Amino acid sequence: MTLPTGDEEKGLGSGGYDASATLIAGKAFGPANVYLNLGYTRIDKVAEDGKKNIYSASLAGEWDIVKEWAIVGEVLYESPGAESEDAPVAVTAGLIWEIADNFSIDIGARVGLTDTAPDWGILAGISYTFGGPSAEEKHEK
């Protein structure tokens, strides 16, 4: 749920209440994991050229190449903004480096496959996972 806490006049938020739901399913295949994400967002206050209902989907994968490193990839889809537009579709590829148990750094590149998706982007992140298996326990499976 998104609450209208931004200043609409300054372009910070839509001034409305938005609701989102996402379903994520995953399956492990030895050192590889596959994920399917399905999402829906309802926008309360829509801009003139905006869309009220946004549907999204992605198929992602992760493959542990060695104990501390994994290759990741994802194909993303989002419903188009107007009937005449192409749906934004992009593909992402990257690496995850697990520095210590439950702490990792990741970097990736995204390329748009349709005219409505951004041409390219660089993604980076730092993750700390609370609890869960250690790196050794994950690789024992």
Side-chain angles (χ1 to χ4, degrees):
M1 182 101 190
T2 303
L3 304 174
T5 57
D7 186 340
E8 190 177 358
E9 292 176 8
K10 293 181 180 179
L12 302 172
S14 66
Y17 295 87
D18 303 337
S20 298
T22 303
L23 172 68
I24 303 172
K27 175 73 174 143
F29 299 95
N33 298 306
V34 178
Y35 305 97
L36 175 66
N37 299 333
L38 301 173
Y40 170 75
T41 301
R42 184 188 179 287
I43 308 296
D44 183 33
K45 287 189 173 182
V46 180
E48 251 182 65
D49 58 348
K51 45 191 170 180
K52 189 167 194 74
N53 298 300
I54 300 171
Y55 300 93
S56 60
S58 71
L59 183 62
E62 175 182 1
W63 180 44
D64 295 333
I65 50 178
V66 293
K67 184 177 171 184
E68 296 89 9
W69 290 90
I71 296 173
V72 292
E74 181 176 38
V75 177
L76 304 148
Y77 163 88
E78 186 176 290
S79 57
E83 289 183 29
S84 61
E85 284 185 353
D86 288 333
V89 178
V91 64
T92 304
L95 291 170
I96 297 176
W97 176 29
E98 190 166 350
I99 297 172
D101 287 346
N102 304 325
F103 183 74
S104 62
I105 294 177
D106 56 83
I107 188 160
R110 178 174 290 161
V111 177
L113 302 179
T114 59
D115 291 337
T116 53
D119 291 338
W120 63 276
I122 302 294
L123 308 160
I126 297 173
S127 299
Y128 179 79
T129 305
F130 296 94
S134 67
E136 289 179 10
E137 291 171 330
K138 283 194 287 187
H139 294 284
E140 287 175 1
K141 294 181 181 180

